[in-house]
Amino acid sequence: MDRRADRRAVRRADRRRDFRRDRRRDFRREIRRDRRAAFRSGVRAERRANFRRWDRRWRDNRRFGWRNYRRTHRQRFRLGRYYAPFRAHRYNRLQVGWFLDSLFFQPRFFINDPWAYRLPPAYGPYRWVRYYDDVMLVDVYTGEVVDVIYDFFW
C-alpha cells in the first residue's frame, strides 16, 4: 500500500511540475509574440507598458509652486558642487527630447524626494535627475529627457 501511495504522489508531483512548466512556457511564448508584433508594427514595447505619458501641465497646478517655495527656502536649493560622471564633460543646455547617457541618471543624481523641492512625483520609468543646476525628468529605460527646469538649484 505504501508503494502505491508513493507512486501516486510522485505522479501527482510530476503532473503539477509539467503543468507549471507548460504554463511558464506559454507565458513566455506570449511575451515573445507580443514583442515581435510590437517590433513589426514599429511600436516599442516599453512605450506600450502600463504607464501614462508624462503630462507637462503640472506647471499650471499651484500645488507645485517651486519658484515661490525656493524664494522662501533658499538653503534647501543650495546643494553644493555638481561633479559630472566623467572629467571631460562640460555643461550643455539640454532640451526635451534629448537622450542622456546612463552615467547621468545614476542613483547619486536622483532626486529621491521631489516633494521636498515642490516637484510632482515621478511615476513609472520616470525619475527626477539633477544635471548641474538644472532638474530633468528622465525616462530611465531609454534615457530620454521628458521635462526640464533650468537654473533650479543655486
Side-chain angles (χ1 to χ4, degrees), residues 66-82 117 130-135 149-154:
W66 62 269
R67 281 193 179 97
N68 293 334
Y69 187 74
R70 184 173 68 170
R71 224 175 277 131
T72 57
H73 298 86
R74 290 177 169 270
Q75 211 48 36
R76 182 167 282 181
F77 289 82
R78 288 194 176 110
L79 292 184
R81 185 177 169 92
Y82 177 88
Y117 301 102
R130 179 183 179 195
Y131 177 77
Y132 289 89
D133 288 342
D134 304 338
V135 172
I149 302 174
Y150 300 112
D151 301 324
F152 187 78
F153 296 108
W154 302 100

Side-chain angles (χ1 to χ4, degrees), residues 5-20:
D6 288 343
R7 275 189 259 149
R8 267 193 237 135
V10 168
R11 274 185 293 196
R12 214 176 294 132
D14 286 345
R15 272 185 269 160
R16 252 187 258 128
R17 191 172 347 129
D18 291 344
F19 174 72
R20 288 182 185 144

Side-chain angles (χ1 to χ4, degrees), residues 3-143:
R3 284 185 186 174
R4 188 179 290 170
D6 288 343
R7 275 189 259 149
R8 267 193 237 135
V10 168
R11 274 185 293 196
R12 214 176 294 132
D14 286 345
R15 272 185 269 160
R16 252 187 258 128
R17 191 172 347 129
D18 291 344
F19 174 72
R20 288 182 185 144
R21 186 181 59 225
D22 292 344
R23 194 170 55 184
R24 271 195 310 266
R25 190 178 298 144
D26 292 343
F27 181 70
R28 289 179 184 148
R29 190 175 297 137
E30 282 181 35
I31 289 174
R32 279 194 300 264
R33 186 180 52 223
D34 289 347
R35 285 183 183 160
R36 217 174 291 126
F39 180 76
R40 286 182 184 143
S41 67
V43 177
R44 294 187 66 163
E46 294 94 5
R47 292 286 167 227
R48 294 178 335 115
N50 292 331
F51 56 85
R52 304 180 310 266
R53 189 75 179 139
W54 182 255
D55 184 13
R56 297 208 344 238
R57 291 180 298 173
W58 67 269
R59 294 171 190 252
D60 300 336
N61 192 336
R62 304 189 90 192
R63 185 174 58 176
F64 303 117
W66 62 269
R67 281 193 179 97
N68 293 334
Y69 187 74
R70 184 173 68 170
R71 224 175 277 131
T72 57
H73 298 86
R74 290 177 169 270
Q75 211 48 36
R76 182 167 282 181
F77 289 82
R78 288 194 176 110
L79 292 184
R81 185 177 169 92
Y82 177 88
Y83 292 97
F86 44 92
R87 187 180 299 182
H89 186 265
R90 303 256 188 260
Y91 173 78
N92 293 318
R93 195 168 182 119
L94 302 180
Q95 299 172 357
V96 173
W98 287 31
F99 289 86
L100 278 177
D101 188 53
S102 62
L103 290 173
F104 287 98
F105 49 90
Q106 296 174 1
R108 70 181 180 152
F109 299 120
F110 288 165
I111 296 176
N112 292 320
D113 184 14
W115 181 247
Y117 301 102
R118 297 308 183 256
L119 294 170
Y123 51 82
Y126 303 119
R127 294 292 295 222
W128 286 106
V129 175
R130 179 183 179 195
Y131 177 77
Y132 289 89
D133 288 342
D134 304 338
V135 172
M136 300 183 177
L137 190 71
V138 178
D139 183 340
V140 293
Y141 293 148
T142 62

